[in-house]
Amino acid sequence: MFSNLNKKIINSKIKLSPFPHIVIRNFFPKNELDKLNKILPDYNDIDKKKIIFQSTSETKKTVMPDSKLFKNMLKKKIFKQANSVLKKIKPIVLLKFKNEIFKSVNSEFLNSKIRYNMNFAVMKKGYLKSPHLDRRDHLISGIFYPISDVNKGGNLQMYKTRKETNNFDVFPSKNNLKMVKNYRINKNFCVFFLNVPGAYHAVSKYIGNRDRKYFYI
């Protein structure tokens, strides 16, 4: 599986607008994906007392790697394998974005150690996320969706500011942004993007009846 993913990343095309990113469809081999989806918990299987909610709507549950649930999931062979493979592709992803990293990152930080981190999340019908920026200590963000209803909203949207600015609010007014990309999320969809200032992204309202599950890398 590792060599398969490496080739897909290497052969992908970097899109520079509105910020550097790559999109890979059919990310995991089908056999491994089917095994993974069989063991991933549904929204209602996850105890709300043991996870993180990132909005008052409680339409998404995030399972952090230091949680008991995550550690139990790692006991499953396919989940452990998926986590290991996602960690192994880190240098390939960094190499893919090498030129854009040199253009965007201050020279004093170029030799900083980049650590791998991953959490697992499940969102249900009604989830949405307004345009926002990820944490500034993230160099590259990756989102891998092993399962999702197709054509049921929940599009990954990418924005740019309407005017040039050096001030980037974490949650800006939508009036100050222009949507540039609007990706429909299918099963086995993956995106990596360089977390430059102004890398605004959002998720439109998800109306699928099937829980959407994803890894944030």
Side-chain angles (χ1 to χ4, degrees), residues 83-180:
N83 184 52
S84 175
V85 168
L86 291 172
K87 185 175 183 179
K88 285 180 179 178
I89 64 173
K90 183 188 77 172
I92 308 301
V93 174
L94 288 172
L95 183 62
K96 186 71 178 181
F97 286 94
K98 180 180 178 180
N99 290 338
E100 301 309 316
I101 290 172
F102 273 99
K103 291 177 186 176
S104 303
V105 177
N106 289 337
S107 58
E108 62 184 297
F109 298 112
L110 284 175
N111 293 321
S112 298
K113 184 177 180 180
I114 306 302
R115 290 190 294 269
Y116 165 82
N117 187 270
M118 184 268 279
N119 62 58
F120 171 70
V122 182
M123 53 186 267
K124 66 176 183 177
K125 186 175 183 178
Y127 176 82
L128 60 85
K129 185 75 171 179
S130 61
H132 65 283
L133 297 175
D134 284 352
R135 287 172 48 179
R136 300 316 306 154
D137 58 338
H138 291 184
L139 177 66
I140 292 175
S141 295
I143 312 173
F144 166 48
Y145 304 85
I147 193 71
S148 177
D149 267 353
V150 181
N151 297 325
K152 296 293 183 179
N155 291 4
L156 176 63
Q157 301 171 332
M158 297 181 175
Y159 294 80
K160 69 176 183 179
T161 56
R162 292 186 180 277
K163 298 180 180 179
E164 289 190 13
T165 180
N166 291 319
N167 297 316
F168 298 99
D169 295 332
V170 176
F171 291 98
S173 167
K174 212 168 182 178
N175 294 331
N176 296 330
L177 301 176
K178 178 181 179 181
M179 187 192 303
V180 176

Side-chain angles (χ1 to χ4, degrees), residues 28-80:
F28 268 24
K30 186 180 184 305
N31 287 343
E32 277 75 12
L33 182 73
D34 290 343
K35 293 176 186 176
L36 181 62
N37 281 326
K38 284 180 181 178
I39 63 96
L40 294 178
D42 293 332
Y43 182 93
N44 291 330
D45 294 333
I46 301 173
D47 187 343
K48 65 184 294 184
K49 296 178 182 178
K50 298 180 181 179
I51 52 86
I52 292 175
F53 284 115
Q54 294 177 312
S55 67
T56 56
S57 67
E58 296 190 357
T59 49
K60 185 180 82 169
K61 293 178 177 178
T62 301
V63 182
M64 303 302 289
D66 59 351
S67 69
K68 183 177 179 179
L69 176 56
F70 193 97
K71 291 175 182 177
N72 284 337
M73 292 168 69
L74 277 175
K75 294 177 182 178
K76 304 282 188 179
K77 182 179 178 181
I78 186 61
F79 190 89
K80 184 177 181 179

